[in-house]
Amino acid sequence: MERIQIKNTEDQYFQSAWEIYNYSFPENEKRDLEHQRIAFSSKEYRMYGYLDGEKFVGFIGCWNFDEYLYIEHFAINREIRGGGYGSMILAELEASIDKTIILEIDEVVDEISAKRLRFYKNLGFNETGIIHDGHSYHAGDILPRLEILSYPTAINRTLYEKFNEDLRNTVMKR
């Protein structure tokens, strides 16, 4: 599998990632195109696409801060979900990053959210015991409750506070 960096909305692979993005996340958990352009302009933001031969498998949209990497969005092409690609992509990312990785999942309230938690725990992510309100991508959004997971160990409250500040001041910048 090949990892490629998607650098802007004009990149040849951006449309494939954007299509997966749009059907994988609810409206209140995703950027509009202009907000995505703003993300690309940030020195911390990276979008990686993953190819298996000619097939676009999925993408990760993440933020590379000094102390940690935050995975904001991660999705696999729905035609090949369940084929092990998500596990391979995250394992490759974990092996290539020498710092804490942080991500958020929906608060575990049903079998679907429990299955998502098991997926990440099987890849070495840890529950932190921290649940917070999501961030607003659009005015009037109903904010989801999100559980913080981290790799390779659970983050402490100090790193969470830094992460939460970066969410407000950098990730959600308009």
Side-chain angles (χ1 to χ4, degrees):
M1 187 157 11
E2 178 184 7
R3 177 173 73 171
I4 48 113
Q5 186 172 347
I6 300 170
K7 295 184 178 182
N8 56 49
T9 59
E10 312 310 312
D11 188 282
Q12 67 176 332
Y13 294 107
F14 177 75
Q15 274 311 116
S16 296
W18 196 244
E19 180 182 330
I20 293 169
Y21 178 76
N22 278 303
Y23 66 65
S24 297
F25 297 95
E27 286 302 313
N28 68 335
E29 293 181 19
K30 64 184 179 185
R31 300 170 181 280
D32 60 32
L33 191 57
E34 185 54 35
H35 198 192
Q36 183 62 44
R37 286 187 181 104
I38 292 168
F40 275 124
S41 72
S42 174
K43 66 181 174 54
E44 291 89 0
Y45 184 76
R46 305 284 185 280
M47 180 181 276
Y48 297 111
Y50 293 85
L51 303 172
D52 186 359
E54 297 294 313
K55 180 94 172 149
F56 191 88
V57 172
F59 77 94
I60 292 177
C62 57
W63 297 81
N64 193 6
F65 293 102
D66 289 339
E67 297 176 55
Y68 64 92
L69 179 99
Y70 165 52
I71 298 175
E72 181 183 19
H73 293 102
F74 168 53
I76 301 298
N77 181 328
R78 64 180 160 201
E79 296 171 9
I80 55 175
R81 283 186 189 153
Y85 285 105
S87 296
M88 285 188 284
I89 288 169
L90 282 178
E92 184 272 334
L93 183 68
E94 290 171 353
S96 70
I97 299 295
D98 190 23
K99 61 175 81 174
T100 299
I101 301 173
I102 298 173
L103 58 79
E104 301 161 302
I105 63 169
D106 291 332
E107 184 176 19
V108 178
V109 296
D110 58 19
E111 184 52 38
I112 293 171
S113 54
K115 182 178 177 182
R116 186 171 296 119
L117 175 61
R118 283 191 301 274
F119 170 78
Y120 287 112
K121 286 181 77 170
N122 286 339
L123 289 164
F125 279 85
N126 296 278
E127 294 177 271
T128 64
I130 301 169
I131 298 175
H132 69 176
D133 288 329
H135 23 280
S136 180
Y137 287 95
H138 314 281
D141 277 349
I142 296 172
L143 302 180
R145 297 284 293 160
L146 300 173
E147 182 173 347
I148 308 297
L149 304 180
S150 61
Y151 172 91
T153 60
I155 62 171
N156 60 30
R157 197 74 189 174
T158 302
L159 186 54
Y160 167 73
E161 294 299 336
K162 173 71 173 128
F163 163 67
N164 203 30
E165 179 182 321
D166 290 337
L167 274 175
R168 287 191 313 273
N169 297 330
T170 303
V171 174
M172 298 310 296
K173 182 179 175 182
R174 287 236 179 230

